[in-house]
């Protein structure tokens, strides 16, 4: 209420702090692929796994486009397994 009164937040909007689970999961997802996390730790609680996977995906439209158009060379018939030999 005080922040809204100072004009820092729109009226009727409150901001809650990010959970420790989300902060930790985001930091893990930024540094390590989920496969490495699974290999390193025997037991990871399911809620933790879900949040790490959630934060592993790109957030911005630019990143989504970059990853969705990632070229592996499979379009080149010579590069594909069983492709044309030169």
């Amino acid at each position: 209420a005080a922040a809204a009164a100072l004009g820092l937040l729109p009226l009727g909007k409150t901001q809650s702090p990010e959970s420790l689970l989300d902060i930790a999961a985001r930091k893990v997802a930024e540094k390590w692929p989920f496969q490495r996390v699974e290999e390193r730790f025997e037991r990871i609680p399911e809620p933790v796994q879900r949040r790490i996977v959630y934060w592993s995906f790109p957030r911005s439209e630019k990143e989504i486009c970059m990853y969705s158009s990632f070229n592996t060379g499979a379009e080149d018939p010579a590069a594909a397994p069983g492709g044309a030999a030169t």
Side-chain angles (χ1 to χ4, degrees):
L6 293 173
L8 300 175
L9 295 173
L11 290 176
K13 295 264 184 169
T14 58
Q15 213 172 21
S16 59
E18 196 172 11
S19 73
L20 183 57
L21 172 59
D22 271 328
I23 294 169
R26 183 169 29 89
K27 291 299 180 185
V28 167
E30 287 172 0
K31 292 201 174 261
W32 298 291
F34 186 71
Q35 181 180 358
R36 183 178 284 175
V37 174
E38 282 185 310
E39 291 169 353
R40 170 109 170 125
F41 301 100
E42 283 184 31
R43 295 182 58 174
I44 304 169
E46 190 173 332
V48 176
Q49 289 180 26
R50 278 190 263 130
R51 295 316 293 170
I52 293 172
V53 169
Y54 171 82
W55 287 109
S56 294
F57 285 93
R59 298 279 159 248
S60 73
E61 186 176 344
K62 179 181 174 185
E63 289 176 331
I64 292 169
C65 289
M66 180 179 72
Y67 287 110
S68 66
S69 64
F70 185 72
N71 185 358
T72 61
E75 289 81 20
D76 181 5
T86 55

